[in-house]
C-alpha cells in the first residue's frame, strides 16, 4: 500500500520479503488512477477495515457514494474505501444493492476484490461496467487476476521473459482453445 509507481514496488525490500514468505496467501495490489480523492498513501489501495482487505476498480456515482457514507456515518477520502468499509461493517449482501440503486443513481462502475480474514476467503465481484480477468498457473496452485488481461501477462512475465523483478516466470494454464486469460 503506497502512492507510488507500481514498478517501484518490485524493488522494495518489504515486497521481496513478502514474496518469499510461505505464509502469504494473497498479494493484492492496485494501480490507481485517481478519480475521487487525493493521491496519497491514505487513499492508496488496498484498504483494510476490520477483517476485510480489499480494492475497487471503478467510480461510483455521487448518489451511491453519498448513500454509503450516510449508512456508515463517516466520510471517506475515496469511494473505494467506503465500499470496503461497508462490506466490513454490513456485509456484501447489504452493500452491493446500494451500488445499483438510489434516486437517480446508475451505481457507477465497479470491480471488487477482497479478502475476508474471518472466513478465510478471497472474493471477486464486478458489475457490467468494469472488466475482470483471471488466469491460473499451469499447476493450478496460483491464481492471477487483473482488470485488464495484459496486466496478468506482464505480472507473469509472458510478454518479455524478463519478469517483474521477482526472478520468477509463471507458466499459465491454457484451455483446449489455447486461451489462458478468462473474463
Amino acid at each position: 500500500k503506497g502512492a507510488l509507481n507500481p514498478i517501484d514496488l518490485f524493488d522494495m525490500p518489504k515486497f521481496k520479503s513478502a514474496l518469499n514468505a510461505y505464509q502469504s496467501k494473497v498479494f493484492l495490489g492496485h494501480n490507481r488512477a485517481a478519480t475521487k480523492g487525493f493521491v496519497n498513501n491514505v487513499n492508496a489501495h488496498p484498504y483494510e477495515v476490520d477483517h476485510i482487505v480489499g480494492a475497487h476498480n471503478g467510480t461510483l456515482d455521487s448518489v451511491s457514494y453519498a448513500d454509503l457514507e450516510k449508512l456508515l456515518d463517516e466520510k471517506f477520502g475515496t469511494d473505494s474505501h467506503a465500499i470496503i468499509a461497508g462490506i466490513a461493517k454490513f456485509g456484501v449482501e447489504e452493500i452491493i444493492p446500494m451500488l445499483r440503486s438510489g434516486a437517480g443513481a446508475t451505481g457507477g462502475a465497479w470491480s471488487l476484490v477482497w479478502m475476508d480474514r474471518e472466513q478465510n476467503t478471497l472474493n471477486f465481484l464486478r458489475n457490467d461496467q468494469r472488466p475482470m480477468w483471471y488466469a491460473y498457473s499451469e499447476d493450478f496452485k496460483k491464481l492471477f487476476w487483473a482488470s485488464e488481461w495484459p496486466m496478468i501477462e506482464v505480472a507473469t512475465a509472458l510478454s518479455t521473459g524478463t519478469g517483474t523483478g521477482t526472478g520468477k516466470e509463471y507458466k499459465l494454464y491454457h484451455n483446449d482453445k489455447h486461451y489462458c486469460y478468462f473474463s
Side-chain angles (χ1 to χ4, degrees), residues 25-36:
K25 294 179 183 179
V26 175
F27 292 98
L28 176 59
H30 184 284
N31 186 11
R32 178 175 184 252
T35 53
K36 295 191 186 285

Side-chain angles (χ1 to χ4, degrees), residues 13 23 38 46 56 60 87 90 93 116 125:
Q23 72 274 14
F38 296 105
H56 158 243
L60 293 185
I87 291 171
F90 295 101
E93 295 83 6
D116 184 323
L125 190 61

Side-chain angles (χ1 to χ4, degrees), residues 35-175:
T35 53
K36 295 191 186 285
F38 296 105
V39 176
N40 57 36
N41 287 342
V42 172
N43 289 342
H45 296 238
Y47 294 100
E48 183 174 354
V49 180
D50 300 329
H51 61 290
I52 301 294
V53 179
H56 158 243
N57 177 26
T59 306
L60 293 185
D61 67 24
S62 58
V63 173
S64 295
Y65 188 17
D67 286 350
L68 271 175
E69 288 186 326
K70 183 177 178 181
L71 175 69
L72 293 161
D73 194 29
E74 188 174 344
K75 294 286 183 193
F76 295 90
T78 67
D79 52 353
S80 304
H81 194 176
I83 293 169
I84 299 305
I87 291 171
K89 294 182 182 184
F90 295 101
V92 68
E93 295 83 6
E94 185 166 339
I95 295 306
I96 294 305
M98 292 184 68
L99 309 185
R100 298 185 181 140
S101 61
T106 60
W110 47 269
S111 180
L112 304 167
V113 177
W114 73 96
M115 175 81 183
D116 184 323
R117 291 185 308 207
E118 284 180 353
Q119 296 182 8
N120 199 28
T121 59
L122 180 61
N123 305 273
F124 301 87
L125 190 61
R126 69 174 187 88
N127 70 2
D128 61 359
Q129 302 297 309
R130 276 291 177 262
M132 181 164 319
W133 292 84
Y134 66 96
Y136 290 103
S137 60
E138 204 170 54
D139 62 5
F140 284 92
K141 291 184 178 181
K142 292 180 177 51
L143 170 67
F144 305 93
W145 71 90
S147 294
E148 299 162 4
W149 68 264
M151 296 298 106
I152 300 171
E153 185 176 50
V154 170
T156 57
L158 291 176
S159 63
T160 64
T162 60
T164 56
T166 64
K168 295 186 177 184
E169 187 171 337
Y170 297 98
K171 291 184 179 181
L172 298 182
Y173 159 79
H174 288 74
N175 70 7

